[in-house]
Amino acid sequence: METSVATELRLGLPGRDESEAKITSVSNKRSSSEMDDSCDPQQESVAPAQKAQVVGWPPVRSYRKNILQKKAESSSDGSAMFVKVSMDGAPYLRKIDLKFYMNYLDLLKALQNMFKCTIGVYSEREGYDGSEFAPTYEDKDGDWMLVGDVPWEMFVTSCKRMRIMKGSEARGLGCL
Amino acid sequence: MAYSFPEEVLEHVFSFLSSDRDRNAVSLVCKSWYDIERWCRRRIFVGNCYAVSPEMVIRRFPELRAVEMKGKPHFADFNLVPEGWGAYAYPWIAAMAEAYPFLEEIKLKRMVVTDDTLELISKSCKNFKLLVLTSCEGFTTDGLASIAANCRHLRELDLRESEVEELSGHWLSHFPDSCTSLVSLNISCLGSEVSFSILERLVARSPNLRTLRLNRAVPLERLANLIRRAPQLVELGTGAYSAEIRSDTFSNLADAFSACKQLKALSGFWDVVPSYLPAMYSVCSGITSLNLSYAAIPSTDLVKLISQCQNLQRLWVMDYIEDSGLDVLAASCKDLQELRVFPSDPFGAEPNVSLTEQGLVSVSEGCPKLESVLYFCRQMSNAALIAIAKNRPNFIRFRLCIIDPQAPDYLTLEPLDAGFGAIVEKCKELRRLSMTGLLTDRVFKYIGSHAKKLEMLSIAFAGDSDLGLHHVLSGCDSLRKLEIRDCPFGDKALLANAAKLETMRSLWMSSCSVSFGACKLLAQKMPRLNVEVIDERGPPDSRPESCSVERVYVYRTVASRQRLDMPDFVWTLDEDSSLRYS
C-alpha cells in the first residue's frame, strides 16, 4: 500500500524539476579560481547550505522575479569582465568579474568583504568623504575616476582597473 | 406597503447603492425588489469566473455597463497552478459583447485574454471606455492595436503586470489623432520600446490625462518632455531613471517636475541613478504613494527621498532600505498606511542587506495609521511580533514572509505560534493574513479563536496535523479564501467542515495530504461545490484512493459542475463521484 507515500510531507511537487526557482545572484561568495589555488572553488559556491529550491518559494511574483533576473542576466551576458583591484597597503591584488554584480551596492559590499575594509557611502557632492577608504577606477581614457559617478552599465564597460585609496588621498577626485 | 411605490422611485433609491453587498441584500427583500434591482444594476463583480456562467449573469442582469472578474487562484502568481488550467476570458466576452452593446468597462484579473477577445471588445462595444488587465496573459500588441484603433471614447488602458507578447512597438500609433479622451494609460509591463514621438503626441492631445505609467524603455532624457506636456498628472510612472550625469538633463527634469502641482503618486524607477532623485524634490511634499520596489539604491539615497515625503501614505520599497531606513521612515512619515518591503535577493543563501524584524517593529511603533503590511525578511522572533501587535492593533492586512519558510524564532528557537497568536488576538479588524516560519497546530487554534473578521488566509509549510485545518475552518467566521501549500492537512478536517466550504469563495490545497477518496466524498456530500483535482501524474483513479492528490481546488458554484475547458491534468467529480474530464 502506498499509505506512507500518501502521508509523506513533501517539499515541492512530485515529479517536478526542483531547481525551477533559480538562484539569480549569490553575491560575494564566488572565489576567483585564477588567484586562489588553495580554496576549492566548488566548495565555496556550495557553502553555506544551498537549500533545495522549492517551486514558488519564496512567493515572489513571476513579474518581479523576471525583473530581478533580467538585472542579473544583463550583467552576465557575454564574456566576463575581469579587472584587477588593488588596495593601498595591501600586499597583493585581487581580480573580480564586474559582470557578476548587479549594481554598485553589490560591488561595494563585495569589495568590503574581500579587503576587510569600510568604504562608506557614496554621495555625488562629497564622494566618499569621511570614509576610511574610497574606491576609484581607471577608465578607457586613462583617467582615474571615483566609483559611483556614472551609471552602472557605463561603469562596467569603461572600467579597466580599480584602486581602493585611502580616504584622505581620495579627496579632490571629483567628476563635475 | 411596498406595492404603492412606483418602480421608478425604487429604482432611484437603489441608484444610491453602489456596494454589491447592499444591492445583493436589497434583491433578497421580495420578488418585486429583486426584479427592479436586476434591471437597474450597472456594475457587477464576479470573484471566480467559474462560480457562475455568462448566461446566468446575462439572464439576471440585462443592462450591465461594467464587469469586473477574477480567474485563476492567487497561488497562480507563484507558479503553483500549471499552465493551461483555465480562466479564459473569451467565452465571457463573447456572450457579453452580444448582450451588452453598451458595455463600457471591463476589469480582469489573472485571466487568459487573447487578441481575438480584445478585438471583439473593440468592435462590439461602441461606447467602450475602460480596460484594466491585471496579471493577465495570452495577448499580443496586435490586440492592443485593435483597442487603440477602434475604441473612440477610450478613457483607461491599464495593463498592470500582464504578460504581453510584444510583436511591435507601433500599436500605440493606432490611437487616431481624434482620440483625446485618455485619462489613464499604464504600459509599465511592456519590455520593448514604443515610439517616443507617438507617445508624446498622444500625451499632448490628452488634456484629461491623470495617470501615465511608462515602461522601462522610456529613457530619462525623454521624461521631462513627456511630463511637460502633462502638468496635470496625478500619477506618474517613470521609465528607467538613469542617465549620464549632466546638469542640463537634471535641470530640465527638475523644471518639468516643478510644474506638476497635482502629482500624488510615483512609480517606475527601474535602474535608478541616485543623483537624479533630487530632481523630484519639488513634488515630494504632495506625494502620497511611492513605489520604489524596483530601485536598487542604497538606504541613504532612499531615505533622503522618503524624508521629503511627509504626507506619504503608501510605500513599496526593496529591502535595500534596511532597518536604518525604516527607522527614518517611522520618524518622518506619520501618515503611512501601507508598507511593502520586497526582497532584492530572494534566492540568495545569505542575507545581502541589513534588514531584520527590527525595521518592522520600528515602523509599527512610529506610524499610528499603519494598517497594511507585506514584509519579506530573513529572521523573526515572537517578541518582535508581540511588540508589533501591541503597537499596531489596527492592522487590516498582515503578510509576513520569512525567506526560510520554517524558520523558528531566531532568539529562542521556538515556533512562532505565540507571535502570530498575538497578531490575531490584538488586531481585531484583521482581514488578510499570510504566515511563514515554524508554526504548529497551536497557531491555528489562536487563529480559529480570535480571527473572526479574517477573510483571506495563506499558509505554507505549517502545522502538525488535521487539527490545524480544523481550527481554521471551524473558527474563522468570515473566511472567504483559504490557500494552503505543503502542510500536513488531510481528509478528516476537510470532510468534517464540508459545509463551511460553501460559505467561502474557494479553498486551494497543494502538496498536502488530501486523498483522492476524500475528494470524491466531498464532491458527493456537497453538490454545489466544484472539487477540482489538479494532478499531472495522470488520472487519479489509476492510483489507490488513499493516495494524496497533488493539488485540489474547491470552489462554490451555481453554474453546472462541469466546466468544458479543463486541460488533461484537471478532473472534477460529479455527484455520483464519477470522474469527469473535459
Side-chain angles (χ1 to χ4, degrees):
Chain A
M1 268 307 257
E2 270 145 89
T3 42
S4 55
V5 173
T7 53
E8 172 188 290
L9 176 62
R10 286 182 291 260
L11 278 183
L13 303 165
R16 277 287 202 119
D17 178 17
E18 287 219 325
S19 58
E20 210 182 84
K22 293 188 178 54
I23 301 177
T24 53
S25 151
V26 186
S27 10
N28 326 320
K29 293 303 170 188
R30 216 188 65 169
S31 71
S32 174
S33 46
E34 283 152 25
M35 264 292 293
D36 203 353
D37 286 330
S38 54
C39 179
D40 175 22
Q42 289 289 57
Q43 207 177 39
E44 262 262 21
S45 62
V46 164
Q50 196 172 85
K51 304 217 157 95
Q53 293 293 312
V54 172
V55 174
W57 194 269
V60 174
R61 297 201 43 222
S62 322
Y63 180 71
R64 188 166 289 278
K65 252 196 287 189
N66 291 340
I67 304 270
L68 290 177
Q69 243 164 5
K70 257 191 209 129
K71 283 195 172 165
E73 264 164 37
S74 65
S75 30
S76 61
D77 258 351
S79 54
M81 202 104 216
F82 280 107
V83 296
K84 290 184 187 169
V85 187
S86 64
M87 177 161 103
D88 290 357
Y92 52 78
L93 279 64
R94 304 294 306 262
K95 214 171 198 185
I96 57 173
D97 175 8
L98 285 182
K99 295 235 168 163
F100 189 71
Y101 305 98
M102 292 199 286
N103 49 48
Y104 281 122
L105 256 176
D106 277 357
L107 172 64
L108 295 179
K109 282 196 194 257
L111 290 176
Q112 289 180 109
N113 255 336
M114 207 181 250
F115 289 98
K116 304 283 178 271
C117 63
T118 24
I119 289 179
V121 176
Y122 168 82
S123 91
E124 200 207 312
R125 262 247 189 95
E126 273 118 52
Y128 293 90
D129 244 19
S131 310
E132 214 191 325
F133 290 96
T136 64
Y137 71 101
E138 185 182 357
D139 73 358
K140 283 197 180 111
D141 303 324
D143 296 321
W144 281 92
M145 313 282 291
L146 197 61
V147 168
D149 275 346
V150 302
W152 172 255
E153 304 298 338
M154 194 179 287
F155 165 72
V156 170
T157 48
S158 59
C159 171
K160 276 177 33 197
R161 59 185 163 130
M162 294 180 61
R163 175 182 160 205
I164 303 181
M165 293 174 115
K166 286 236 164 61
S168 44
E169 281 188 45
R171 216 152 291 166
L173 246 189
C175 173
L176 284 168
Chain B
M1 288 247 97
Y3 308 114
S4 60
F5 265 163
E7 278 185 21
E8 295 80 28
V9 174
L10 277 172
E11 228 185 88
H12 183 68
V13 171
F14 294 167
S15 70
F16 293 100
L17 299 174
S18 51
S19 110
D20 284 334
R21 277 208 184 138
D22 289 343
R23 281 196 164 256
N24 291 345
V26 138
S27 57
L28 290 174
V29 165
C30 64
K31 199 162 184 308
S32 72
W33 280 37
Y34 177 92
D35 267 332
I36 295 167
E37 194 283 318
R38 74 185 188 91
W39 278 95
C40 67
R41 182 146 355 176
R42 297 283 173 264
R43 320 189 131 260
I44 190 174
F45 170 73
V46 178
N48 173 6
C49 63
Y50 291 121
V52 66
S53 73
E55 293 69 37
M56 294 172 88
V57 172
I58 292 168
R59 198 162 50 228
R60 181 172 171 187
F61 300 114
E63 306 258 307
L64 292 181
R65 297 260 191 279
V67 175
E68 184 179 345
M69 191 171 312
K70 295 186 180 179
K72 300 184 203 173
H74 174 239
F75 271 179
D77 283 356
F78 314 125
N79 298 334
L80 293 182
V81 179
E83 196 72 34
W85 172 80
Y88 302 103
Y90 191 81
W92 278 93
I93 303 296
M96 293 193 301
E98 207 190 301
Y100 305 127
F102 299 111
L103 193 61
E104 292 177 2
E105 299 183 12
I106 295 176
K107 294 186 194 169
L108 304 174
K109 185 168 184 178
R110 286 193 209 99
M111 295 193 75
V112 177
V113 179
T114 57
D115 284 346
D116 285 345
T117 315
L118 294 175
E119 197 180 336
L120 187 56
I121 296 172
S122 75
K123 297 220 165 113
S124 315
C125 307
K126 299 295 171 203
N127 226 16
F128 196 69
K129 297 201 168 86
L130 183 152
L131 183 65
V132 177
L133 301 174
T134 309
S135 306
C136 293
E137 46 161 355
F139 59 103
T140 78
T141 40
D142 286 352
L144 296 178
S146 325
I147 296 282
N150 301 321
C151 301
R152 298 291 165 85
H153 309 284
L154 193 68
R155 294 216 196 122
E156 290 192 35
L157 178 60
D158 188 339
L159 305 174
R160 272 174 231 187
E161 295 178 4
S162 290
E163 260 180 58
V164 185
E165 196 186 327
E166 298 175 57
L167 304 173
S168 115
H170 290 299
W171 67 272
L172 208 58
S173 59
H174 288 255
F175 277 111
D177 287 336
S178 54
C179 175
T180 56
S181 48
L182 268 186
V183 171
S184 167
L185 180 65
N186 178 357
I187 54 169
S188 54
C189 63
L190 299 181
S192 40
E193 271 185 24
V194 289
S195 153
F196 303 130
S197 50
I198 306 266
L199 188 55
E200 273 173 31
R201 288 212 303 272
L202 181 59
V203 170
R205 68 174 184 275
S206 305
N208 299 318
L209 195 66
R210 278 197 326 260
T211 299
L212 178 64
R213 298 206 198 270
L214 304 167
N215 63 339
R216 196 175 187 173
V218 176
L220 191 58
E221 294 90 346
R222 291 283 189 159
L223 188 61
N225 280 346
L226 279 166
I227 301 178
R228 232 182 267 285
R229 289 178 181 22
Q232 75 282 6
L233 279 179
V234 174
E235 300 182 326
L236 171 70
T238 72
Y241 204 77
S242 101
E244 236 187 276
I245 299 178
R246 296 174 46 148
S247 46
D248 55 350
T249 315
F250 183 95
S251 49
N252 235 354
L253 194 56
D255 281 343
F257 268 117
S258 59
C260 296
K261 307 284 185 204
Q262 327 238 37
L263 214 44
K264 290 236 173 306
L266 288 170
S267 61
F269 300 112
W270 291 284
D271 318 313
V272 177
V273 163
S275 315
Y276 276 107
L277 291 175
M280 297 190 312
Y281 282 179
S282 58
V283 298
C284 283
S285 56
I287 294 296
T288 56
S289 167
L290 190 53
N291 182 352
L292 292 165
S293 62
Y294 301 111
I297 47 181
S299 180
T300 42
D301 292 303
L302 286 166
V303 145
K304 269 193 216 140
L305 181 62
I306 290 168
S307 44
Q308 307 265 334
C309 307
Q310 293 95 359
N311 288 314
L312 203 57
Q313 290 171 16
R314 184 211 290 196
L315 177 65
W316 291 19
V317 74
M318 276 213 272
D319 54 10
Y320 288 125
I321 193 170
E322 300 192 319
D323 288 344
S324 54
L326 290 175
D327 285 340
V328 177
L329 177 68
S332 326
C333 303
K334 295 304 183 184
D335 271 352
L336 195 70
Q337 292 170 22
E338 176 180 330
L339 173 67
R340 294 197 193 188
V341 178
F342 295 95
S344 53
D345 188 16
F347 305 110
E350 292 271 289
N352 61 326
V353 290
S354 176
L355 179 103
T356 69
E357 80 283 8
Q358 193 44 52
L360 187 54
V361 173
S362 299
V363 182
S364 71
E365 243 169 52
C367 302
K369 300 194 187 160
L370 189 67
E371 58 178 28
S372 172
V373 149
L374 169 62
Y375 199 78
F376 281 82
C377 60
R378 287 174 186 265
Q379 67 187 38
M380 188 48 64
S381 66
N382 282 310
L385 284 170
I386 291 169
I388 290 166
K390 283 215 180 92
N391 290 335
R392 213 71 291 125
N394 46 320
F395 271 124
I396 293 180
R397 276 170 233 105
F398 190 80
R399 298 160 71 187
L400 181 69
C401 179
I402 309 174
I403 299 288
D404 173 3
Q406 289 178 305
D409 176 326
Y410 77 101
L411 295 168
T412 64
L413 297 183
E414 281 174 4
L416 289 171
D417 298 338
F420 281 106
I423 296 282
V424 293
E425 198 191 337
K426 295 278 184 322
C427 306
K428 304 208 189 299
E429 300 299 312
L430 196 67
R431 296 204 302 255
R432 183 168 180 183
L433 177 65
S434 308
M435 311 188 292
T436 29
L438 186 63
L439 296 163
T440 72
D441 283 346
R442 198 176 303 120
V443 75
F444 298 111
K445 187 155 181 229
Y446 297 145
I447 292 175
S449 332
H450 294 289
K452 296 305 181 186
K453 300 244 176 109
L454 193 66
E455 296 179 6
M456 181 168 178
L457 179 62
S458 311
I459 313 173
F461 304 98
D464 309 309
S465 74
D466 266 30
L467 203 50
L469 180 56
H470 176 71
H471 284 312
V472 171
L473 288 176
S474 57
C476 296
D477 299 333
S478 311
L479 199 61
R480 291 188 301 114
K481 291 180 278 182
L482 180 57
E483 47 184 23
I484 304 174
R485 63 162 297 177
D486 295 274
C487 296
F489 297 152
D491 305 342
K492 283 202 294 249
L494 206 54
L495 293 170
N497 292 282
K500 170 75 173 178
L501 298 179
E502 230 184 65
T503 68
M504 293 165 51
R505 180 188 298 172
S506 65
L507 165 69
W508 169 278
M509 293 178 73
S510 56
S511 306
C512 296
S513 313
V514 179
S515 72
F516 179 55
C519 293
K520 280 167 68 168
L521 272 172
L522 185 60
Q524 235 171 7
K525 254 182 138 173
M526 309 293 305
R528 284 189 299 194
L529 289 181
N530 215 356
V531 179
E532 283 190 15
V533 171
I534 304 166
D535 206 315
E536 289 170 294
R537 297 170 299 176
D541 54 5
S542 64
R543 290 179 292 277
E545 275 201 11
S546 56
C547 218
S548 294
V549 297
E550 280 181 347
R551 309 166 194 79
V552 60
Y553 184 44
V554 183
Y555 52 90
R556 65 181 175 191
T557 180
V558 292
S560 76
R561 284 275 277 269
Q562 279 293 339
R563 58 178 177 105
L564 302 169
D565 59 359
M566 295 189 297
D568 58 12
F569 51 82
V570 179
W571 291 268
T572 54
L573 295 146
D574 240 344
E575 284 97 60
D576 57 2
S577 283
S578 60
L579 208 52
R580 296 296 210 101
Y581 333 63
S582 268

